[in-house]
Amino acid sequence: MINITPDELDRLIGISQTPVLVDVWGTHCAPCKALEELLLRQQDHLLKGISVYKLCASEFPDWSAEQAIRQVPTVLLYLDGRLVRRDTQILSDSQLRRFVASVRCVDIDGGEVDGVDGIGRVDDLILAGDYSGAVSYTHLRAHETDSY
């Protein structure tokens, strides 16, 4: 995992063709160290095909405040340039699996799209590692709801 700055994060999520997971961590944080070990252990399994980075909250307090980072570790998941999920309670393989599989169809404001069929389809695509398919399907469904 590579430590990045907020500017690098903005650039990476803007160009990434795959989901981007960011581990927001702090110095002297035991749960942060445990999460880092979990992420490293799962990099070739649950996180295969997901770009994983680290960002130290204490080094970038203004960014942390803007992002409402109130505790560490916080895990952020970006898909197609947008933050789609965040969690502060990922400490096990099963929690990480649920977090990664929980990406849903989202509207332009980041909320879940009500009444959209196929949310399970997006999960299936993500679990299969077809992130471009999940992005395409999300866009398709979001544009369909715009026309109603």
Side-chain angles (χ1 to χ4, degrees):
M1 278 187 299
I2 300 171
N3 274 306
I4 60 172
T5 67
D7 289 339
E8 291 169 325
L9 174 62
D10 288 342
R11 185 182 59 76
L12 289 166
I13 62 173
I15 63 171
S16 182
Q17 298 297 312
T18 61
V20 174
L21 186 144
V22 180
D23 170 17
V24 182
W25 63 284
T27 55
H28 310 294
C29 168
C32 296
K33 293 181 188 328
L35 177 60
E36 179 181 21
E37 291 173 13
L38 171 64
L39 295 175
L40 287 170
R41 191 171 61 248
Q42 290 298 339
Q43 219 162 3
D44 293 328
H45 303 289
L46 290 176
L47 299 174
K48 187 174 184 177
I50 297 176
S51 301
V52 181
Y53 301 98
K54 295 176 50 137
L55 197 152
C56 183
S58 59
E59 289 181 17
F60 303 100
D62 292 341
W63 178 86
S64 297
E66 289 170 12
Q67 300 300 314
I69 304 296
R70 298 199 180 6
Q71 73 181 72
V72 290
T74 295
V75 180
L76 307 172
L77 184 62
Y78 295 86
L79 182 62
D80 196 30
R82 294 182 295 177
L83 178 64
V84 294
R85 186 80 201 274
R86 67 187 298 145
D87 201 322
T88 58
Q89 300 298 317
I90 298 177
L91 300 173
S92 71
D93 292 336
S94 62
Q95 290 168 328
L96 181 61
R97 183 178 299 109
R98 278 192 302 276
F99 180 80
V100 171
S102 67
V103 177
R104 301 283 190 238
C105 294
V106 295
D107 65 19
I108 198 160
D109 297 319
E112 287 195 16
V113 177
D114 294 328
V116 175
D117 295 331
I119 288 176
R121 172 87 172 122
V122 172
D123 285 347
D124 292 341
L125 290 167
I126 290 168
L127 287 172
D130 185 0
Y131 303 111
S132 62
V135 169
S136 298
Y137 191 80
T138 300
H139 280 297
L140 173 69
R141 300 306 296 186
H143 290 295
E144 286 177 6
T145 60
D146 289 344
S147 63
Y148 292 117

